[in-house]
Amino acid sequence: EDSTEALSDNVVSIGSNTDCGDPWDCKFSEDWDSTTKQECTELNQVWYRQRKSFEGRWSKKEQVDTTQSSYHTDAFLGYCAENGEYQRASDFSEGKQYAFPASGETILLSDYNPQMNAATVPMTKAAGQLGILSLQTDVKIIPVARSYDGQAWQASSGFLASRLPPPTCDDVSFICIFAKNGLPPPQLGESYALSYYEHNGFGSMADAAR
């Protein structure tokens, strides 16, 4: 069932149906009846307008040249290429875009310097997912922030918590941006790291600790 509901000025909840697929599927069929064409066009318009608005607030230039495609532009606003492929946003002009590793694994953000760059990281999308941003040294791991069960990133408790400005998150594209100068720079032997886990719940004790 289609649903587009404005939850607040900053958050929009968008659902899709089997016919339309997800917006990034760039799905459109001339065989659809007129009602389905209209519903899917309107649903995709809302999603791509949110993407365009979010990118416009955090980049000084267009991430995708939306003037180069004529593929159902009333629905996809130029973000789907002529061949119907989804065009992802390139790395932000002031930062690096990272993806979660496989469950149970950690990647080092060795090329990230918080004094120079912003960092774009994914949010978890559903219950049972946990993402952790940490500062790793030769002898310890310091939690910095976490995203779990589809929630936006939030600072973990500890000495870095008061020094971490809240990131800007978008519930449509499921990404968050940690602004440059938002974190202390890693020292020699230190590196920021991104970890990802899938779980079946943390239990009542962990829930209470939150």
Side-chain angles (χ1 to χ4, degrees):
E1 180 179 347
D2 293 293
S3 63
T4 302
E5 180 183 1
L7 302 179
S8 72
D9 291 339
N10 299 316
V11 179
V12 173
S13 175
I14 299 175
S16 62
N17 67 16
T18 303
D19 289 330
C20 301
D22 292 315
W24 47 89
D25 292 335
C26 298
K27 185 178 179 181
F28 196 95
S29 175
E30 295 297 343
D31 294 331
W32 288 340
D33 58 44
S34 59
T35 298
T36 301
K37 286 182 179 179
Q38 180 177 353
E39 289 178 349
C40 292
T41 294
E42 292 176 351
L43 181 65
N44 283 305
Q45 278 180 352
V46 172
W47 193 89
Y48 280 101
R49 284 172 180 165
Q50 288 294 319
R51 171 180 166 172
K52 185 176 181 66
S53 174
F54 180 74
E55 289 183 5
R57 293 196 304 270
W58 295 107
S59 176
K60 295 179 180 179
K61 63 179 181 180
E62 292 288 338
Q63 301 300 305
V64 172
D65 186 353
T66 56
T67 67
Q68 298 302 307
S69 175
S70 60
Y71 179 81
H72 301 289
T73 54
D74 52 342
F76 304 112
L77 307 187
Y79 285 99
C80 294
E82 289 289 343
N83 60 0
E85 290 186 359
Y86 178 62
Q87 300 187 87
R88 298 179 181 275
S90 60
D91 289 348
F92 281 75
S93 58
E94 292 186 345
K96 173 73 175 177
Q97 187 165 354
Y98 300 96
F100 280 133
S103 180
E105 296 186 1
T106 296
I107 57 172
L108 296 180
L109 312 187
S110 55
D111 56 349
Y112 171 53
N113 183 340
Q115 287 189 323
M116 300 294 294
N117 302 320
T120 303
V121 295
M123 290 168 51
T124 54
K125 295 183 178 180
Q129 298 178 346
L130 170 66
I132 298 175
L133 179 66
S134 60
L135 180 64
Q136 299 198 356
T137 74
D138 294 334
V139 295
K140 60 183 176 180
I141 299 175
I142 305 171
V144 176
R146 62 187 177 181
S147 169
Y148 62 91
D149 296 345
Q151 304 295 315
W153 285 87
Q154 55 187 258
S156 300
S157 59
F159 81 96
L160 286 176
S162 61
R163 302 170 61 183
L164 179 64
T168 300
C169 298
D170 182 70
D171 290 340
V172 175
S173 56
F174 288 98
I175 60 173
C176 293
I177 299 175
F178 287 89
K180 65 180 180 179
N181 299 320
L183 291 170
Q187 305 300 310
L188 183 64
E190 298 179 343
S191 181
Y192 285 99
L194 186 63
S195 305
Y196 176 72
Y197 304 93
E198 294 178 353
H199 62 87
N200 294 317
F202 298 109
S204 57
M205 293 295 289
D207 290 338
R210 293 194 191 122

